[in-house]
Amino acid sequence: MEESTQPKKLTTASGRPIFDNQNTQSAGARGPLLLQDYFFHEKSAHFNRERIPERVVHAKGSGAYGKFTVTHDITHLTRAKLFSKIGNECKLFTRFSTVGGEKGSADTERDPRGFALKFYTEDGNWDLVGNNTPVFFVKDPIKFMDFIHTQKREARSNRKSPTMMWDYWSLNPESLHQVTILMSDRGTPYGYRHMHGYGSHTFSLINAANERTWVKFHFRTQQGVKNFSDEEARLMKAEDADFAQHDLVDAIDNGNFPRWTMFIQTMTEEQARDFRWNPFDLTKVWPQGEFPLQEVGVMELNAVPENYHAHVEQAAFAPAHVVDGIGYSPDKMLQGRILSYPDAQRYRLGVNYEHLPVNACPFGFSNYQRDGLMALGANGGPGPNYFPNSFDGPVEDKTQGEPAQELDGFAARYDRNEGPGNDDHYTQAGNLFRLLDKQAQQNLINNVVGAMSGIEGPKKDLITQRQLCHWFRADVRLGMAIAKGLGVDAEMPMEHNTAAVTA
Ligand code: HEM
């Protein structure tokens, strides 16, 4: 059929051409309006329903499509088809984000950045929903909701509250490592292209011999790390609140495709059993000297979605989405997230959110789930909707099994900080400070002083001193410098009762 040169006709959602899209139907030229003007009703009613709930965290974000290319062989570690051959390519979708702010908040806020990837593999979609930091604020998922509340608005003032944040962090020393990163220059990255990304959790790789290796994923920016200073970030909030969105879209539109090199760190099951601390603790990194980075491939972003809402806003990433050859680990945070994301997305996008084009597996899916709101597509057609059946419905694939995992112990609520090394919240935070050059150390100190200066109210001294104890325990020089910046007598925090801070 020949393509028409006529412009497309404007129609109602049910396909009826619209005669006039500029003037409502009225009784006489001056109105009032007629109830029967369906063109107007449809337009107005749809408009009133345009907003969907924003993500409860990571509401502000930017997305792009791209590809992942395998450059190194890791088939001895995983049987995932994606990694089966050097040169394999896989389409992917990425969404970067800030964490605490609402959908309209500024891109340059001091905050971790989300680094969410969806690999459209032949084995199904693999989502790696990480951050630009290798660790996190808490190590048990039951603590996540309280922590996030401290990053949102205070109940009465409806403002962000440094008092809430530092009250929580000072009562949760396990946050210190991540707080140190947050307060460093890395807390205000220059857009999304100039930061590293991390899967953060420990996952597992499973090979063709059904052997398991623990793994962490790293994505190192090929653009070079670049951060805003605290002041630059603050000024950019006023100049261009959408700086990171512009930066990403402009780079891709200009053919300047951002790239990241993917590496893994691996640990055997035996090494994990004997490790100095719980290797599944998300507040600590695996030292790279002992567990070196191994190169795997390269990720390139090369296409901006044509419609933000359809692709970026409706994207649904879930740590639950792994594929054959890649598995979970006992990391309690990861386990909590397996439940949380699809639950949030059923609320945010509806029960059939995985049928939306950005979320759908391009290689198809077949199961017995039917109906529900917005069942897009064939909804299983005339096929059977129960299993097992005698009518050629989809069957299980017994090749997909994982090796049995040895577990021990009694069901209980175990103290997350008990056991060798697990209550050491200070060494890695202090090491990070000592690793920074002089200027970066000073920036960290200034940023902490600036942020802690916002603590107010009757508990100001208690919270300040409790948090100072943590900085001292990470590094005495760091503690002294922050105390001095805050005008606090440096002897005071050292004498403070440390029982409160190790709770
Ligand atoms: C988004 C929960 C920890 C990275 C979300 C969302 C929820 C959530 C409910 C919104 C999902 C949606 O509506 O689509 C949790 C819980 C956590 C946790 C319960 C801990 C138990 C983490 C950690 C990381 C992370 C440790 C990174 C290592 C992200 C990212 C997004 C996100 C990147 C945005 C994904 C996107 O771009 O759509 N989280 N989260 N979260 N979370 Fe978490």
Side-chain angles (χ1 to χ4, degrees):
M1 206 166 64
E2 235 168 68
E3 224 172 81
S4 163
T5 51
Q6 296 294 313
K8 249 198 214 153
K9 276 193 183 131
L10 177 70
T11 72
T12 61
S14 54
R16 180 184 167 193
I18 290 175
F19 159 71
D20 184 344
N21 191 34
Q22 298 295 296
N23 302 291
T24 42
Q25 265 188 358
S26 54
R30 294 189 173 184
L33 302 185
L34 296 184
L35 185 60
Q36 67 176 14
D37 188 353
Y38 178 71
F39 294 165
F40 170 63
H41 296 175
E42 182 182 89
K43 194 171 174 182
S44 169
H46 192 278
F47 176 81
N48 289 352
R49 291 161 180 79
E50 278 178 7
R51 296 286 91 78
I52 59 173
E54 63 178 35
R55 289 165 177 82
V56 63
V57 281
H58 296 262
K60 177 81 188 286
S62 302
Y65 284 99
K67 64 174 180 185
F68 178 77
T69 311
V70 178
T71 55
H72 292 68
D73 181 31
I74 54 165
T75 51
H76 56 293
L77 296 169
T78 178
R79 63 185 185 226
K81 282 207 195 81
L82 165 64
F83 298 114
S84 63
K85 216 168 68 243
I86 291 178
N88 270 4
E89 277 191 5
C90 168
K91 183 177 171 182
L92 61 79
F93 180 69
T94 306
R95 183 173 177 273
F96 304 114
S97 48
T98 54
V99 181
E102 295 86 2
K103 196 168 174 288
S105 59
D107 283 346
T108 56
E109 292 286 359
R110 181 170 299 283
D111 211 0
R113 300 295 187 270
F115 197 100
L117 311 175
K118 190 182 283 294
F119 298 82
Y120 300 99
T121 90
E122 300 173 51
D123 285 327
N125 294 347
W126 171 39
D127 293 354
L128 200 55
V129 198
N131 277 342
N132 68 333
T133 63
V135 293
F136 198 69
F137 297 92
V138 292
K139 56 169 99 173
D140 190 302
I142 205 166
K143 295 173 69 62
F144 178 81
M145 301 80 197
D146 296 298
F147 160 64
I148 290 297
H149 284 168
T150 71
Q151 305 297 301
K152 298 280 189 182
R153 291 172 188 276
E154 199 258 337
R156 182 168 179 276
S157 68
N158 195 35
R159 287 186 311 170
K160 295 284 178 89
S161 161
T163 309
M164 286 202 305
M165 294 179 193
W166 291 105
D167 188 27
Y168 186 84
W169 286 332
S170 66
L171 287 165
N172 286 274
E174 72 199 59
S175 300
L176 192 70
H177 192 183
Q178 174 77 318
V179 172
T180 308
I181 300 175
L182 178 66
M183 292 293 143
S184 76
D185 295 330
R186 284 159 69 186
T188 48
Y190 184 93
Y192 297 129
R193 294 181 301 130
H194 294 276
M195 61 186 199
H196 299 324
Y198 302 86
S200 307
H201 298 286
T202 302
F203 290 87
S204 49
L205 293 178
I206 303 183
N207 66 13
N210 217 25
E211 294 160 332
R212 174 185 293 112
T213 308
W214 302 121
V215 66
K216 282 183 185 281
F217 295 96
H218 298 243
F219 293 81
R220 297 185 75 85
T221 173
Q222 293 188 8
Q223 288 66 244
V225 170
K226 194 169 159 189
N227 299 308
F228 281 120
S229 70
D230 192 62
E231 194 192 353
E232 287 167 343
R234 260 187 293 117
L235 291 175
M236 188 52 80
K237 271 197 242 175
E239 193 178 317
D240 182 2
D242 303 318
F243 171 83
Q245 169 76 13
H246 288 163
D247 181 69
L248 182 70
V249 168
D250 290 353
I252 295 174
D253 283 351
N254 292 331
N256 180 13
F257 300 148
R259 293 190 182 89
W260 285 259
T261 312
M262 177 175 145
F263 294 87
I264 52 172
Q265 280 182 295
T266 56
M267 191 186 274
T268 64
E269 286 185 287
E270 206 184 351
Q271 283 172 314
R273 232 172 275 131
D274 302 336
F275 197 57
R276 299 192 289 290
W277 61 80
N278 174 5
F280 307 112
D281 176 343
L282 187 57
T283 63
K284 295 185 177 70
V285 294
W286 293 354
Q288 289 188 17
E290 281 172 78
F291 304 95
L293 295 181
Q294 305 161 50
E295 194 166 337
V296 179
V298 60
M299 159 177 130
E300 171 188 283
L301 300 183
N302 51 29
V304 175
E306 290 300 315
N307 186 287
Y308 182 89
H309 183 90
H311 297 262
V312 187
E313 197 58 17
Q314 296 196 125
F317 299 87
H321 292 160
V322 290
V323 294
D324 187 44
I326 302 172
Y328 308 135
S329 82
D331 178 340
K332 291 180 184 179
M333 291 288 288
L334 172 60
Q335 297 274 322
R337 295 178 72 200
I338 291 168
L339 169 101
S340 175
Y341 288 66
D343 178 47
Q345 289 146 4
R346 284 176 201 119
Y347 163 69
R348 184 166 68 82
L349 299 162
V351 65
N352 285 307
Y353 68 96
E354 292 194 88
H355 300 183
L356 293 165
V358 63
N359 300 323
C361 172
F363 300 95
F365 66 96
S366 41
N367 57 31
Y368 296 95
Q369 286 146 28
R370 296 285 187 275
D371 308 348
L373 270 181
M374 308 301 285
L376 304 174
N379 192 34
N385 60 1
Y386 59 92
F387 177 86
N389 62 72
S390 317
F391 300 98
D392 293 333
V395 294
E396 297 150 332
D397 177 354
K398 296 291 187 192
T399 65
Q400 299 271 316
E402 286 193 9
Q405 198 178 316
E406 191 188 328
L407 302 174
D408 60 3
F410 297 92
R413 295 183 187 273
Y414 290 93
D415 182 342
R416 67 201 180 285
N417 292 323
E418 233 167 62
N422 292 332
D423 65 347
D424 177 0
H425 315 301
Y426 304 101
T427 306
Q428 292 201 348
N431 286 346
L432 180 61
F433 171 71
R434 290 181 285 274
L435 259 175
L436 299 176
D437 66 35
K438 274 223 143 49
Q439 185 57 55
Q441 287 187 345
Q442 194 53 53
N443 294 348
L444 168 63
I445 292 161
N446 295 347
N447 295 338
V448 172
V449 170
M452 286 184 67
S453 300
I455 304 172
E456 56 191 12
K459 304 281 182 182
K460 177 179 164 148
D461 289 346
L462 171 72
I463 296 169
T464 305
Q465 287 171 27
R466 204 164 45 202
Q467 183 62 34
L468 274 172
C469 279
H470 301 315
W471 295 122
F472 270 95
R473 291 179 74 171
D475 186 284
V476 173
R477 216 158 40 87
L478 174 64
M480 293 290 279
I482 295 171
K484 192 170 162 215
L486 290 170
V488 174
D489 177 358
E491 292 308 309
M492 238 158 51
M494 299 299 281
E495 288 163 8
H496 187 72
N497 176 10
T498 51
V501 301
T502 48

